[in-house]
Amino acid sequence: MLDPQLTVLVVDDSVDMLEILRRNLNDLGLNPIVCSGVVEAIDILESTKIDLVITDLHMPKIDGRQLVKYISQHFNITPVLVVTGYPDVRAAVDVMKLGALEYLIKPFTNDELKEAIENVLGNKIQEITTAISTEKLSSFHGIIGVSDVMQKLYQTIERTKNNKATVLITGESGTGKEMVARAIHYNSNFSSAPFVPVNCGAIPDQLLESELFGHIKGSFTGAFTTRAGFFQAANTGTLFLDEISNASLTVQAKLLRAIQDKEITMLGATKSQQIDVRIITASNSNLLEMIDKQMFREDLYYRLNVVTVEIPPLRDRREDIPHLFDYFNKKYSNEQKKAVLKISKPLLKILIDYAWPGNVRELENFVYRLVIMTDKKITIEDIPNHMKMQSPTNEIPDTMMTLADMEKRYIQKVLNATGNNKTKAAQILNIDRKTLREKLK
Ligand SMILES: Nc1ncnc2c1ncn2[C@@H]1O[C@H](COP(=O)(O)OP(=O)(O)OP(=O)(O)O)[C@@H](O)[C@H]1O
Ligand SMILES: [Mg+2]
């Protein structure tokens, strides 16, 4: 059964044909709007919510192909059915490539039209829900990523499986450094031993030393009991030192000894003790710069980075974005006991183009919020304005161009970002609608 709420835009230069289609569509319980040319059709598309477009191909002035192309570029989720009097396989293939979903040859019966419409609507709906999920999810110990860099990262992790080499993980905030540290540990052949994470940035400088190495009763004011440190807790397993750049030079010197000699001395103790720990460190500041400023020991740096894992920012591996989106969408929808949100390709494209300065963490929080705030389908309104607009610095092209060309590109970009809503675009561009219309001409 077709949904009677559906509005169908019919474009044909023949008045007779428009009349036939109008009657057929009315009979099918749909709501038809008819027009005789491409320009008029685009005007209607911009001002009215259209669920399906049925267009003729051969029309004077502007060909139906142009309309199909325009729709697929600007209204990607609006399905298109092409109707033509010329049975030509090549033309059919061509318009399908441009984005049409079905091709119907005149004359046709009411049943044939109905079947074609059902096909088109069914196809398009399916396409939106499975846009991502048909592709295989690639993950490694919960790390989602299909890009080449992530595949290489999985291989690096594999290489740390049977040894206790130190690993230095670098990457911007939110790229998944802690996740990678855990994956290294749980993928290793000593995964049943403890994994002990320590955030060096969160522990006050004076305390870090005793927290790491432990202390003997009475070794400093307040040391009422003898207490083991994180090193002892991580023995036979992994000690993850997050934000290592925060460790003082004193702690750095002790760390160096621990790694070199595989032994530590508790604060206030006279004897050292053997330890067997893999050390993983993570940093989002540039340790080499700190070495230059003599804030980080060079000798320690080279002990810590036997294996290095550089996690690139999300904007440098954009092919992972749809997979991460899909993963978090399912995860939080299940958690909230809600239906998994649908997203159309153009909206997904906005997410792929966005720079994600907070990396995966920002994407995760964004999807979590969407799952809570939205039902069923994500619309352009659900995406904050700053995401629709890319950072202008990324937008300056390498090739030289005129100001007029640059303006044209920028206007097009704003139009895309607003889902081709001219009123919103004019607001963002800070010009009135009339000026925008003139510029578009
Ligand atoms: N590739 C990924 N697949 C799935 N989830 C990820 C991925 N990368 C990061 N995350 C998620 O993003 C969030 C941030 O990751 P994590 O804490 O490991 O980042 P980080 O690099 O340690 O950040 P910071 O520098 O701010 O400490 C976590 O919730 C983590 O589960
Ligand atoms: Mg972290």
Side-chain angles (χ1 to χ4, degrees):
M1 201 40 215
L2 292 168
D3 182 348
Q5 304 297 325
L6 294 178
T7 304
V8 184
L9 175 64
V10 185
V11 194
D12 203 306
D13 59 310
S14 145
V15 184
D16 293 342
M17 197 60 213
L18 283 181
E19 198 39 43
I20 292 172
L21 277 165
R22 190 214 301 271
R23 254 185 277 148
N24 282 347
L25 292 168
N26 268 328
D27 288 349
L28 290 173
L30 299 167
N31 173 29
I33 299 179
V34 300
C35 71
S36 58
V38 172
V39 176
E40 207 184 324
I42 290 175
D43 264 351
I44 296 173
L45 277 163
E46 271 162 14
S47 57
T48 319
K49 188 184 158 288
I50 299 293
D51 300 294
L52 167 70
V53 177
I54 300 181
T55 180
D56 186 18
L57 268 195
H58 301 273
M59 290 184 279
K61 288 195 204 147
I62 307 175
D63 192 86
R65 257 174 286 261
Q66 298 300 327
L67 180 62
V68 177
K69 199 167 151 192
Y70 190 88
I71 291 172
S72 91
Q73 283 169 352
H74 300 271
F75 305 91
N76 183 274
I77 49 174
T78 312
V80 182
L81 165 63
V82 168
V83 176
T84 176
Y86 302 84
D88 173 353
V89 180
R90 264 227 332 266
V93 172
D94 279 354
V95 287
M96 298 299 227
K97 274 193 197 151
L98 289 177
L101 289 172
E102 270 278 358
Y103 194 84
L104 192 62
I105 292 163
K106 299 177 205 172
F108 45 81
T109 64
N110 212 353
D111 281 345
E112 283 168 339
L113 177 66
K114 181 170 182 242
E115 199 187 319
I117 292 175
E118 278 170 347
N119 276 347
V120 167
L121 293 174
N123 263 344
K124 198 69 187 182
I125 290 162
Q126 227 172 351
E127 190 187 347
I128 294 168
T129 47
T130 58
I132 330 162
S133 50
T134 48
E135 289 174 41
K136 231 177 96 222
L137 260 191
S138 175
S139 74
F140 183 88
H141 287 271
I143 304 172
I144 310 293
V146 292
S147 55
D148 289 349
V149 274
M150 291 308 277
Q151 301 294 323
K152 257 178 81 185
L153 192 144
Y154 305 156
Q155 285 168 16
T156 308
I157 295 178
E158 269 299 307
R159 288 190 180 278
T160 62
K161 195 182 183 101
N162 301 318
N163 53 65
K164 285 202 165 163
T166 58
V167 184
L168 172 64
I169 306 170
T170 59
E172 288 180 11
S173 181
T175 45
K177 294 185 292 295
E178 174 146 5
M179 247 198 134
V180 167
R182 287 178 192 275
I184 290 172
H185 175 77
Y186 290 106
N187 186 56
S188 73
N189 57 17
F190 47 95
S191 59
S192 54
F195 173 84
V196 178
V198 181
N199 186 342
C200 302
I203 300 172
D205 205 30
Q206 325 81 280
L207 269 186
L208 185 59
E209 195 179 343
S210 81
E211 292 287 312
L212 282 176
F213 304 101
H215 60 254
I216 302 289
K217 183 179 168 185
S219 56
F220 57 89
T221 337
F224 300 118
T225 53
T226 294
R227 229 182 91 193
F230 291 124
F231 262 99
Q232 290 96 331
N235 207 9
T236 71
T238 302
L239 180 63
F240 173 48
L241 301 175
D242 203 356
E243 299 189 34
I244 185 69
S245 55
N246 286 289
S248 66
L249 287 167
T250 322
V251 171
Q252 289 179 32
K254 278 196 109 172
L255 273 176
L256 182 67
R257 262 199 57 206
I259 296 170
Q260 255 168 347
D261 307 338
K262 291 192 171 45
E263 55 181 40
I264 55 160
T265 308
M266 290 169 90
L267 251 72
T270 45
K271 263 178 62 188
S272 61
Q273 60 191 111
Q274 291 284 314
I275 37 119
D276 162 33
V277 181
R278 145 124 75 211
I279 295 180
I280 304 180
T281 50
S283 171
N284 55 27
S285 40
N286 191 336
L287 292 178
L288 287 173
E289 266 173 29
M290 290 184 68
I291 293 172
D292 267 352
K293 292 182 194 147
Q294 301 195 326
M295 286 157 70
F296 203 86
R297 290 182 71 120
E298 191 171 9
D299 46 5
L300 176 62
Y301 176 77
Y302 289 109
R303 289 282 176 177
L304 293 176
N305 75 352
V306 174
V307 175
T308 50
V309 178
E310 280 171 44
I311 315 179
L314 194 51
R315 61 186 169 278
D316 289 348
R317 46 183 165 109
R318 295 185 192 267
E319 59 270 51
D320 290 339
I321 294 173
H323 294 268
L324 285 161
F325 177 87
D326 197 36
Y327 170 76
F328 293 131
N329 187 6
K330 285 181 180 143
K331 176 178 163 185
Y332 289 115
S333 298
N334 285 339
E335 218 178 270
Q336 301 293 315
K337 302 197 171 34
K338 291 179 77 171
V340 175
L341 292 174
K342 289 179 191 167
I343 186 164
S344 67
K345 282 184 182 172
L347 295 193
L348 188 60
K349 174 96 176 31
I350 292 176
L351 303 189
I352 295 171
D353 288 344
Y354 175 59
W356 299 107
N359 294 294
V360 185
R361 182 181 289 114
E362 185 184 3
L363 175 62
E364 178 171 5
N365 291 341
F366 168 72
V367 180
Y368 182 45
R369 203 181 60 232
L370 275 182
V371 169
I372 290 175
M373 304 300 291
T374 319
D375 292 314
K376 289 185 192 149
K377 199 173 162 185
I378 299 163
T379 66
I380 188 85
E381 314 292 336
D382 300 321
I383 299 180
N385 277 339
H386 73 276
M387 284 194 183
K388 295 174 202 163
M389 310 292 301
Q390 272 180 56
S391 133
T393 49
N394 294 341
E395 283 303 294
I396 307 281
D398 291 335
T399 48
M400 294 295 127
M401 59 165 68
T402 63
L403 259 184
D405 279 339
M406 190 71 203
E407 180 182 88
K408 203 161 125 193
R409 280 178 62 152
Y410 186 64
I411 291 176
Q412 194 53 57
K413 173 156 197 64
V414 176
L415 279 170
N416 289 344
T418 55
N420 219 43
N421 181 323
K422 295 217 177 88
T423 311
K424 268 193 213 148
Q427 264 167 15
I428 292 172
L429 293 165
N430 200 16
I431 55 178
D432 55 39
R433 257 186 75 100
K434 199 168 143 252
T435 315
L436 179 59
R437 269 192 178 276
E438 268 154 22
K439 285 190 184 289
L440 286 175
K441 271 183 206 150

